[in-house]
Amino acid sequence: SSCDPALRPIIRRRARSLPTSPDRRKRAAVPCQVPGCQSRMNRVRFADALGLELTEVKVFQTGEDPSIPLHVLSRLSINSDLWYSSSDLEFTMQCLVPDFQQPADCMDFSSRLQEQQVCLERVTSSDLGLSGTIQVCNVAFEKQVSVRYTFNQWKSLHEVCAHWHSSIPEKNGQDQVDVFTFFLPVPPFLLQLCSVVQFAARYQVNGREYWDNNRGKNYSLTCRTHPLKMPRECEESWIHFI
């Protein structure tokens, strides 16, 4: 006497679009020979879960080169360096490097935050753009934090909103602090040597506006060449990593 449900054998059925043998595949491609039969040759169409085509045909004109994204070309360049290097694997990458010390690593970070009510904590760069965190004093519940940035020395500017991430409880007599995160998208064509990205953080609360612009100098990152070296025995693991 068991309460377990009765086990049923698993029946696997072959998909109708998949022939079971070469003979059946040949028969499926032959139209019906019965007089008056209007059936046509069977056709198989492959689609994804939404019914869309899995393949796309692109016709290039004579002399027209396909457009290859910059990040694909950079990875091809890395693979080429890995292939032709004889001793240690040596190659270079272009990335945005901060021209300032990370504020969170500075001894006066807490005092700057109390003075300005807003302070950049840390920023990192990647192939897609810049990611960072900002700390603000919890003056009021309703608040707005944003980052204003430029690629051309403020001839034109852009602004993105930062999003609340977490709160740091008050300690040592200091008020509660809120942490916001932001992301600045950087187009690949701007990742050229010596190109500069500048930005500043803005904090709006209780009808007032506070700024952290790195003591009037703005925060800037410059695109530089970064050399990388790796022992030859690590080649396979590096190929799998990228």
Side-chain angles (χ1 to χ4, degrees):
S1 58
S2 174
C3 296
D4 296 335
L7 300 178
R8 297 182 180 180
I10 299 176
I11 302 177
R12 297 183 177 180
R13 301 182 62 183
R14 183 181 296 274
R16 294 183 179 182
S17 61
L18 182 64
T20 57
S21 64
D23 294 338
R24 182 175 179 177
R25 185 160 53 248
K26 293 179 180 179
R27 291 196 300 270
V30 177
C32 180
Q33 302 295 332
V34 178
C37 181
Q38 301 296 327
S39 65
R40 296 179 296 177
M41 182 182 300
N42 293 338
R43 301 181 61 183
V44 179
R45 175 179 175 269
F46 296 95
D48 60 8
L50 299 178
L52 303 177
E53 297 289 345
L54 291 178
T55 59
E56 180 179 357
V57 178
K58 171 65 177 178
V59 179
F60 292 95
Q61 303 294 333
T62 303
E64 180 183 1
D65 295 329
S67 177
I68 304 177
L70 182 60
H71 70 276
V72 175
L73 291 177
S74 62
R75 297 198 176 192
L76 289 176
S77 176
I78 293 176
N79 290 337
S80 177
D81 292 341
L82 292 173
W83 179 262
Y84 288 105
S85 59
S86 56
S87 56
D88 290 345
L89 306 179
E90 299 182 4
F91 52 92
T92 59
M93 297 183 64
Q94 294 180 1
C95 58
L96 290 170
V97 180
D99 299 322
F100 54 90
Q101 184 180 4
Q102 298 288 354
D105 298 334
C106 298
M107 298 296 295
D108 63 342
F109 176 75
S110 297
S111 59
R112 288 179 60 181
L113 177 60
Q114 296 299 320
E115 176 187 350
Q116 302 173 162
Q117 301 295 306
V118 53
C119 190
L120 173 71
E121 181 180 23
R122 195 173 300 276
V123 63
T124 57
S125 62
S126 66
D127 292 343
L128 301 179
L130 302 177
S131 302
T133 53
I134 300 172
Q135 290 192 15
V136 299
C137 294
N138 187 27
V139 178
F141 178 77
E142 294 290 339
K143 59 178 68 73
Q144 183 177 356
V145 181
S146 59
V147 177
R148 184 171 295 181
Y149 63 103
T150 180
F151 300 116
N152 53 13
Q153 302 293 330
W154 302 105
K155 296 177 182 178
S156 62
L157 55 88
H158 311 272
E159 190 164 351
V160 296
C161 292
H163 302 281
W164 182 87
H165 179 265
S166 59
S167 295
I168 302 177
E170 57 179 326
K171 60 180 180 180
N172 300 329
Q174 296 182 354
D175 297 333
Q176 176 180 314
V177 173
D178 288 334
V179 181
F180 284 74
T181 62
F182 66 90
F183 175 75
L184 307 182
V186 179
F189 63 85
L190 289 177
L191 290 179
Q192 301 177 0
L193 290 179
C194 300
S195 59
V196 178
V197 179
Q198 295 179 314
F199 70 91
R202 182 169 70 155
Y203 177 33
Q204 296 172 285
V205 61
N206 282 348
R208 300 190 62 180
E209 186 175 84
Y210 303 92
W211 286 87
D212 176 23
N213 57 6
N214 193 21
R215 305 291 191 185
K217 297 179 294 185
N218 293 321
Y219 292 102
S220 64
L221 295 93
T222 304
C223 185
R224 295 188 175 93
T225 299
H226 182 65
L228 296 177
K229 293 184 179 181
M230 185 169 296
R232 165 61 64 177
E233 55 269 17
C234 298
E235 177 179 2
E236 292 298 329
S237 60
W238 178 252
I239 291 297
H240 286 297
F241 172 75
I242 61 176

